[in-house]
Amino acid sequence: MAKNNAKLWLLDNIELFDELSPDQKIVLQNSIVKYKYNKKDVIFQSGDRMDRVYFVVQGRVKIVKISETQKEGIKKIIRTGDFYGELAAIDPENYTHFSDSAIVMKNETVVLAIPTTVFKQVLESQPAVYQKVINKVLSNYKKLNNRLDSVMLKDSRRRVIDFIKEMAEEVGRPIGYEILIKHKLTHQEIASITGISRQKVTTILNEFKQQGLIHLERNSILVHDKKLFE
């Protein structure tokens, strides 16, 4: 009973399920599996069957594409309350296997896995939840498309600016006229997102700091001047 209560408490902390009744959450809790991971653990790999939707309830997970030379490109970061694998529930005929890998970024990361068949039933029975998921899919597509445009068409400086702007929109917190971004990423991870070298990322961030546009701390950026985004 205590184990089920713990699962129910975790479900209560997922915003997507706010529309569900207590009875619906109790039904859902019977199908979920809770996993605890440490940094660098692999949740799934490219080619694995796409039969679960993963919800991060604590910690962070990166969705990556790994090249033949083992070079890693970060496509998306799944933070607390976010999810991945929903396309298999929306369109199970076309989304059967993962094309990317999921790697844990932080120790003691907690993930809930919900079978896609069960998640599909939730979507079909709750139009409000379905609409939230569709909105999330469209938002993710827009971000990924903007990222692709940035990598293909823009120089290194502009790519770093786009990264800071994206993080400001996702996790930024206003402090007066400034924006505090606790991104918790290494310069190598920023490089994997922007498609430039770690050394170049460090150089550009230091240039912005010297110009008085930002202040740098470990795993965080304080944007002094929003003109940086123009």
Side-chain angles (χ1 to χ4, degrees):
M1 181 65 70
K3 186 176 181 180
N4 283 337
N5 287 340
K7 287 182 180 179
L8 188 58
W9 181 84
L10 290 171
L11 285 175
D12 285 338
N13 284 272
I14 298 175
E15 184 181 354
L16 182 65
F17 297 136
D18 285 350
E19 308 293 336
L20 301 185
S21 68
D23 288 343
Q24 289 173 320
K25 288 183 180 179
I26 290 173
V27 171
L28 185 58
Q29 80 178 7
N30 293 328
S31 67
I32 66 177
V33 180
K34 175 185 171 184
Y35 295 98
K36 192 171 184 179
Y37 296 100
N38 286 320
K39 189 174 182 179
K40 296 186 179 180
D41 284 347
V42 177
I43 298 176
F44 58 78
Q45 300 183 71
S46 176
D48 286 352
R49 186 159 183 80
M50 206 171 181
D51 56 2
R52 298 178 180 183
V53 182
Y54 294 92
F55 286 79
V56 176
V57 293
Q58 179 178 300
R60 287 173 291 134
V61 175
K62 56 184 175 182
I63 305 300
V64 304
K65 181 75 73 175
I66 301 175
S67 70
E68 293 180 357
T69 59
Q70 297 303 301
K71 184 177 181 181
E72 180 184 285
I74 298 177
K75 295 178 66 176
K76 179 177 174 57
I77 295 174
I78 312 299
R79 296 183 173 83
T80 300
D82 207 351
F83 52 91
Y84 193 81
E86 71 283 353
L87 291 176
I90 296 173
D91 188 2
E93 291 186 6
N94 290 311
Y95 293 92
T96 58
H97 293 79
F98 288 106
S99 59
D100 306 308
S101 300
I103 302 175
V104 176
M105 302 179 71
K106 186 178 180 181
N107 287 334
E108 299 186 347
T109 287
V110 178
V111 174
L112 297 183
I114 301 176
T116 52
T117 51
V118 175
F119 192 65
K120 187 173 187 295
Q121 292 172 0
V122 172
L123 298 183
E124 290 174 345
S125 64
Q126 289 290 331
V129 175
Y130 178 82
Q131 189 59 53
K132 284 183 180 180
V133 172
I134 291 299
N135 290 343
K136 187 69 174 179
V137 169
L138 294 175
S139 176
N140 288 340
Y141 175 80
K142 181 179 179 180
K143 288 177 182 177
L144 190 58
N145 191 58
N146 289 341
R147 180 97 52 80
L148 184 61
D149 285 347
S150 182
V151 170
M152 292 182 64
L153 304 175
K154 298 179 181 180
D155 60 24
S156 299
R157 184 179 186 276
R158 189 67 232 186
R159 292 186 207 178
V160 175
I161 292 173
D162 287 348
F163 161 78
I164 296 173
K165 183 177 181 180
E166 181 179 320
M167 289 298 99
E169 293 171 351
E170 288 190 1
V171 298
R173 181 165 61 91
I175 299 180
Y177 294 102
E178 300 175 315
I179 303 174
L180 177 62
I181 305 168
K182 292 187 176 181
H183 56 78
K184 300 180 181 178
L185 299 171
T186 66
H187 285 190
Q188 181 57 59
E189 288 167 337
I190 297 174
S192 297
I193 292 171
T194 56
I196 58 182
S197 70
R198 180 186 61 79
Q199 294 85 350
K200 191 67 174 177
V201 166
T202 301
T203 298
I204 293 171
L205 288 174
N206 285 332
E207 287 176 357
F208 292 159
K209 181 179 179 180
Q210 291 168 5
Q211 293 166 5
L213 297 171
I214 65 173
H215 175 72
L216 294 173
E217 293 288 348
R218 181 176 174 82
N219 300 333
S220 68
I221 299 171
L222 180 65
V223 179
H224 293 313
D225 194 337
K226 294 181 182 178
K227 289 182 180 179
L228 175 68
F229 301 146
E230 296 177 357

